[in-house]
């Protein structure tokens, strides 16, 4: 289909909550193709629809590595139904060019969603690997939550944002994750 422009931090669509998909129509199939085309063009691991300006609950992930080959995955109307453990990781986002920051994520997650054929599925990912973290990162995008809202060190993250000419942290968006942070 087409490579779309990825919105950058500061653009309003990234903070807007996305709407449920009612039918996996041709429009949604085209959106999925655009997400994959755009993600691969930027060597990303995941991309959510709001990042290309479409506020619908859809994201794609390709967390394949040499050590762990995986199929590309599509998540429509996803819901994280179980989460546990905690892990610290250095994360980035295609909407934050070049900016990385330490965030805390759950180690194990169980997610239910609909795939590109309209079929519901449940997936459990354990061990805080790339896929587990990507699922949480992309799922957040659908609620207008960005990885910097999870940052472990506000001061350091602010410095990184400044360095890459990105807007400041919005203090009201910072998440209280003391329980999660205590575990790492
Ligand atoms: Zn992202």
């Amino acid at each position: 289909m087409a490579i779309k422009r990825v919105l950058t931090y500061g653009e309003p669509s990234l903070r807007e909550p996305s709407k449920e998909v009612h039918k996996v129509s041709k429009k949604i199939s085209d959106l999925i193709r655009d997400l994959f085309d755009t993600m691969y063009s930027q060597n990303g691991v995941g991309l959510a629809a709001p990042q290309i300006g479409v506020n619908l609950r859809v994201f794609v992930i390709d967390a394949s590595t040499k050590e762990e080959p995986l199929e590309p995955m599509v998540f429509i109307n996803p819901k994280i139904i179980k989460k546990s453990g905690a892990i610290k990781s250095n994360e980035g986002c295609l909407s934050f060019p070049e900016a990385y920051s330490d965030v805390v994520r759950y180690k194990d997650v169980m997610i239910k969603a609909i795939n590109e054929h309209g079929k519901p599925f449940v997936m459990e990912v354990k061990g805080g690997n790339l896929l587990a973290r990507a699922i949480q990162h992309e799922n957040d995008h659908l609620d207008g939550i960005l990885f910097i809202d999870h940052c472990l060190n506000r001061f350091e993250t602010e410095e990184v944002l400044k360095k890459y000419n990105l807007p400041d942290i919005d203090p009201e968006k910072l998440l209280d994750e003391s329980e999660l942070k205590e575990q790492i």
Side-chain angles (χ1 to χ4, degrees):
M1 291 302 295
I3 294 170
K4 300 287 184 181
R5 185 179 72 86
V6 176
L7 271 54
T8 312
Y9 176 47
E11 294 192 79
S13 282
L14 291 174
R15 282 299 190 189
E16 275 167 32
S18 291
K19 291 195 171 80
E20 294 257 322
V21 170
H22 295 298
K23 189 174 175 254
V24 185
S25 58
K26 162 119 184 7
K27 190 183 97 176
I28 299 298
S29 301
D30 290 350
L31 169 65
I32 291 166
R33 272 271 42 102
D34 289 349
L35 285 169
F36 275 122
D37 288 349
T38 309
M39 180 185 81
Y40 287 130
S41 78
Q42 306 240 355
N43 296 315
V45 171
L47 192 66
Q51 291 182 277
I52 56 168
V54 179
N55 283 101
L56 287 173
R57 303 189 79 83
V58 180
F59 66 77
V60 300
I61 288 179
D62 188 339
S64 209
T65 59
K66 257 189 211 140
E67 299 74 34
E68 200 182 353
L70 292 166
E71 292 291 313
M73 299 170 198
V74 176
F75 299 78
I76 300 168
N77 299 343
K79 207 167 187 150
I80 293 176
I81 49 175
K82 230 165 82 179
K83 48 195 183 185
S84 60
I87 189 167
K88 179 180 114 168
S89 58
N90 197 247
E91 237 174 74
C93 176
L94 292 179
S95 295
F96 292 73
E98 297 181 81
Y100 290 83
S101 177
D102 280 342
V103 299
V104 60
R105 295 285 183 191
Y106 292 99
K107 214 178 206 170
D108 309 325
V109 289
M110 193 188 270
I111 186 167
K112 70 170 188 182
I114 293 167
N115 72 10
E116 65 274 35
H117 308 295
K119 288 225 162 67
F121 67 95
V122 174
M123 184 186 285
E124 192 170 18
V125 191
K126 290 190 164 190
N129 63 6
L130 185 59
L131 178 58
R133 289 183 278 120
I135 284 173
Q136 295 170 75
H137 178 116
E138 301 310 330
N139 192 60
D140 273 351
H141 273 300
L142 308 184
D143 294 316
I145 297 168
L146 301 170
F147 81 107
I148 53 163
D149 305 339
H150 293 274
C151 70
L152 274 170
N153 186 320
R154 180 179 165 177
F155 175 72
E156 266 178 30
T157 307
E158 272 173 339
E159 289 297 304
V160 171
L161 294 176
K162 206 172 281 162
K163 186 174 166 197
Y164 295 108
N165 297 313
L166 291 161
D168 289 340
I169 279 180
D170 179 348
E172 285 186 8
K173 301 279 183 194
L174 286 173
L175 299 159
D176 174 24
E177 298 180 306
S178 34
E179 233 174 90
L180 203 53
K181 286 171 185 166
E182 273 167 24
Q183 292 182 62
I184 56 167

